Amino acid sequence: MTSPAPERTGGDLLVDLLRRYDVDTVFGIVSVHNLPLVEAVDRDLRFVPVRHEASAVNAADGYARARDGLGCALTSTGTGAGNAAGSLVESLSAGTSVLHVTGQVDTPYLGSGRGFIHETKDQLGMLRAVSKHAVTVPDVASAGAVLQEAAEQALAAPGGPASVEWPIDLQYAVPVGLPAPATPAPAAPVDPVKVAEVVSLLRGSERPAIWAGGGVARAGASLRRLVELTGAALFTSNSGRGAVPEDHELCVGNYATTPGGRSLLADADLLLSVGTHFRSNETGDYGLVVPTTHVQVDLDPAALGRVFPASVGVVADANAFLGAVVDALVAADVAPRAAWSERVRVTRASVREAQRAGLGEHAAFADALRKVLPRDAVVARDVTIASSSWGNRLLEMYDARGNVFPRGGGIGQGLGMAIGAAITRPDRPSVGIVGDGGLAVHLGELTTLAQERPWLVLLVFNDGGYGVLRNMQESLGSPRSGVDLLAPDYATLCRSMGLAHLRIADPGAVAATLEQAVALGGPVVVEVDLAAYPPMPRPFTPPVHVPGAPS
């Protein structure tokens, strides 16, 4: 006699939704206030038990970026949801499609203020402040519609995190099925008048430049064709890297604030910017000189002219608009500007050589990684000297989905992002670049790495603290304050949890050690001992303005 099938719970409903969006892995921490969700995911999909709720969102964020799709994180209510808030800020800043499902207390006690376990004041208000979309499941009949709408909101351009708080009594109840997905609204037609105006400007330009931000991630083919048709200099923000492979001869890259980049941009007679925020650290605190003729394309009307005046503003999807411009240019038989293109190529080479001179032996890491990694490998970077110097510039990106880093600038998020991204690529290596200070924020996730065993090479640059801020204090003649930290013995730590550990202490070991690390085919921590490794000829300091400091 067969046992009757168990009754469905809200967890089964969540699994149905995730399968609809091809999500096979969920990151989170189990709790009395999300148990039915975790049990269903663990039974039917893959549940990755991270060690902190912030890492659950970071890992879902990295997973979503590497797949160019939806990621999912599960947290508990109250403190658990609060722990996730900082990482939701990162997802919101980056426009990453993350579905964050958090528990909530039983509906009879919701908002009662009785101090019910895990209860917090106005959790939904907190989630609204750090999410693109946030909502409470009000009853059993509405759960499917709430989840469906949240997923659609997270994925709708521009993307962002959608948070759903789900009372525990409603999670256990037998749910109604999912509604049909909403029929996508037809894409807004590209304005032919704007296309004609931009094409006319491009045809009349002798020295065109393009600045590509994160909004070009899905427009790489059109962007590359536009660059080649016009001979334009292609600058990128950090977020726009990889949409056009960075070994392209006209890709100057994330070098706009270098002397060579500034000179080239100042001499351009037209700037076409697409999907970029023009962040302060990538524009010299908005001090770059850009051409008077500035065409700005963005989905957000409020972005137009917000940083640099836009002589022509276009509200449009980047891929659709660039595709229409390319078609019109092809029909017009536009020839690239040979002399300008040659200057772009020279500048592209010169800014990299200048950076190499400032990096000294540290340039070896970018060179060695590119030799051992496939072109589409994920390179997830925390905020640390290695990332902020060569990782965000000299280390070439060839695929926008492999360019994973905290766009909001917060430290400690890199390892969670790297784990989430690496899980999407089980058949090839991924790399995480972190500092010892940032790693310490979520050191417990090393146990997640050891337990889940993705093919991840984790480079830990160990300088005993916050090297970026240490350099900044020293450059200003200030005493060291709060920057020196105790670091663990990584060899012993890794051995205690069965993680492979390798060490680099001199430039001659970089290439062979990274080759060995990748060849292991699983998780490995590669510690770079910066006390023994030669320092950079020019210590890296962050590109931030300090009031009263000498310029």
Side-chain angles (χ1 to χ4, degrees):
M1 182 175 178
T2 58
S3 301
E7 287 190 329
R8 284 167 56 84
T9 69
D12 298 284
L13 188 68
L14 178 62
V15 167
D16 291 344
L17 178 87
L18 296 176
R19 283 176 168 160
R20 177 173 285 181
Y21 291 98
D22 195 30
V23 176
D24 59 8
T25 303
V26 175
F27 307 86
I29 293 181
V30 66
S31 159
V32 295
H33 282 124
N34 66 16
L35 194 57
L37 309 181
V38 171
E39 289 176 341
V41 167
D42 194 46
R43 180 188 67 235
D44 294 331
L45 303 173
R46 178 181 182 181
F47 180 72
V48 174
V50 297
R51 274 50 177 184
H52 193 278
E53 290 89 354
S55 293
V57 176
N58 286 144
D61 188 322
Y63 175 93
R65 295 191 206 188
R67 296 174 71 249
D68 189 21
L70 183 68
C72 183
L74 297 181
T75 68
S76 184
T77 189
T79 303
N83 285 344
S87 297
L88 288 169
V89 170
E90 166 56 31
S91 176
L92 185 64
S93 176
T96 309
S97 301
V98 170
L99 176 63
H100 167 228
V101 183
T102 185
Q104 186 49 284
V105 303
D106 302 71
T107 48
Y109 306 108
L110 186 57
S112 66
R114 297 184 182 185
F116 198 88
I117 185 171
H118 294 176
E119 181 186 12
T120 188
K121 177 184 176 182
D122 193 15
Q123 176 173 286
L124 185 61
M126 176 190 70
L127 294 174
R128 283 175 173 155
V130 295
S131 304
K132 176 185 175 184
H133 172 83
V135 67
T136 305
V137 174
D139 51 55
V140 175
S142 304
V146 167
L147 288 175
Q148 179 64 44
E149 182 187 12
E152 291 169 358
Q153 289 283 343
L155 288 163
S163 292
V164 176
E165 59 170 17
W166 200 341
I168 184 61
D169 55 324
L170 302 183
Q171 292 178 41
Y172 278 108
V174 180
V176 178
L178 290 172
T183 303
V190 174
D191 185 346
V193 175
K194 290 290 188 183
V195 171
E197 186 178 7
V198 173
V199 168
S200 177
L201 289 171
L202 286 168
R203 293 182 67 187
S205 169
E206 294 297 325
R207 301 179 303 280
I210 298 171
W211 186 304
V216 302
R218 298 175 183 175
S222 296
L223 178 62
R224 178 172 183 163
R225 187 72 177 115
L226 179 60
V227 168
E228 292 170 348
L229 282 170
T230 61
L234 177 60
F235 292 93
T236 71
S237 69
N238 203 2
S239 301
R241 300 180 64 207
V244 173
E246 290 192 313
D247 53 356
H248 193 286
E249 63 179 4
L250 297 178
C251 181
V252 180
N254 188 23
Y255 284 92
T257 56
T258 64
R262 286 176 181 268
S263 175
L264 188 69
L265 188 58
D267 287 347
D269 61 8
L270 166 69
L271 175 64
L272 170 61
S273 66
V274 188
T276 181
H277 289 130
F278 287 119
R279 295 180 187 276
S280 60
N281 61 319
E282 296 173 335
T283 59
D285 282 337
Y286 317 116
L288 283 179
V289 176
V290 303
T292 303
T293 304
H294 172 205
V295 178
Q296 185 170 8
V297 181
D298 204 286
L299 270 176
D300 180 6
L304 303 181
R306 183 164 50 197
V307 176
F308 298 113
S311 50
V312 178
V314 181
V315 178
D317 172 77
N319 194 36
F321 190 80
L322 293 183
V325 169
V326 165
D327 290 343
L329 287 171
V330 169
D333 195 24
V334 175
R337 287 71 173 164
W340 176 247
S341 296
E342 178 57 24
R343 183 176 170 192
V344 174
R345 286 189 284 268
V346 170
T347 300
R348 181 188 184 281
S350 67
V351 294
R352 285 163 172 77
E353 286 309 308
Q355 188 185 23
R356 284 181 176 277
L359 290 170
E361 298 289 359
H362 289 252
F365 291 100
D367 297 336
L369 283 171
R370 266 296 141 228
K371 287 181 179 178
V372 299
L373 293 176
R375 286 179 68 87
D376 63 348
V378 170
V379 181
R381 311 178 298 286
D382 204 1
V383 179
T384 188
I385 287 178
S387 300
S388 298
S389 56
W390 55 264
N392 292 345
R393 291 175 180 81
L394 190 65
L395 178 61
E396 291 181 342
M397 296 288 162
Y398 308 129
D399 185 333
R401 293 170 298 179
N403 180 31
V404 176
F405 71 100
R407 298 185 189 181
I411 68 167
Q413 304 183 82
L415 177 54
M417 288 182 164
I419 291 172
I423 281 173
T424 73
R425 314 282 179 98
D427 59 339
R428 52 203 187 278
S430 297
V431 167
I433 299 174
V434 302
D436 61 297
L439 179 61
V441 175
H442 290 300
L443 193 64
E445 300 309 334
L446 285 178
T447 60
T448 306
L449 180 64
Q451 179 170 322
E452 299 301 317
R453 307 203 64 79
W455 191 355
L456 178 64
V457 177
L458 184 67
L459 278 167
V460 181
F461 287 80
N462 183 6
D463 62 1
Y466 301 132
V468 172
L469 294 168
R470 182 186 297 145
N471 289 347
M472 185 174 175
Q473 289 176 348
E474 291 179 355
S475 72
L476 297 172
S478 303
R480 289 189 181 184
S481 301
V483 296
D484 297 319
L485 304 173
L486 174 70
D489 180 331
Y490 286 104
T492 302
L493 182 64
C494 290
R495 186 166 57 250
S496 73
M497 58 185 73
L499 274 175
H501 173 271
L502 301 173
R503 177 174 172 270
I504 295 174
D506 63 87
V510 174
T513 304
L514 292 181
E515 185 176 5
Q516 179 186 357
V518 170
L520 290 174
V524 54
V525 173
V526 179
E527 179 186 0
V528 181
D529 184 351
L530 292 175
Y533 199 90
M536 294 181 185
R538 294 195 290 269
F540 178 83
T541 55
V544 295
H545 172 66
V546 178
S551 58

